Amino acid sequence: PAHALEWSDPQIDEAFEGYKDAFTESGYEITKEEQESVDAEVNFAGRDVSGQVKLLQTCSNRTDVSITVRPA
């Protein structure tokens, strides 16, 4: 699998909705989604891959993002 780590300025709610929308608009299926107050996950599949975006709000102005992509 491939992994990527980054951080984002948006609050976790905005980042969660943004990733869901981006995957759906790009033709991927959202296979599972879960959101709590400081962490969230979006699982996706399509185009011969599957993966997961994990979000963790580490403070009020930082959300850590971890993306894993695997061959389907």
Side-chain angles (χ1 to χ4, degrees):
H3 300 279
L5 300 173
E6 65 176 298
W7 65 273
S8 174
D9 287 335
Q11 298 291 320
I12 196 165
D13 296 337
E14 295 171 36
F16 179 70
E17 293 301 325
Y19 276 103
K20 286 191 334 181
D21 291 345
F23 281 115
T24 301
E25 291 170 7
S26 297
Y28 291 88
E29 176 186 356
I30 302 299
T31 58
K32 181 181 176 185
E33 59 182 87
E34 182 179 317
Q35 183 180 15
E36 298 179 13
S37 60
V38 296
D39 69 343
E41 298 174 0
V42 177
N43 293 1
F44 60 92
R47 300 182 182 188
D48 299 324
V49 298
S50 64
Q52 180 182 64
V53 176
K54 293 183 83 164
L55 306 164
L56 178 62
Q57 188 163 349
T58 54
C59 63
S60 63
N61 63 351
R62 179 178 169 141
T63 300
D64 290 345
V65 181
S66 174
I67 302 171
T68 302
V69 179
R70 300 173 204 85

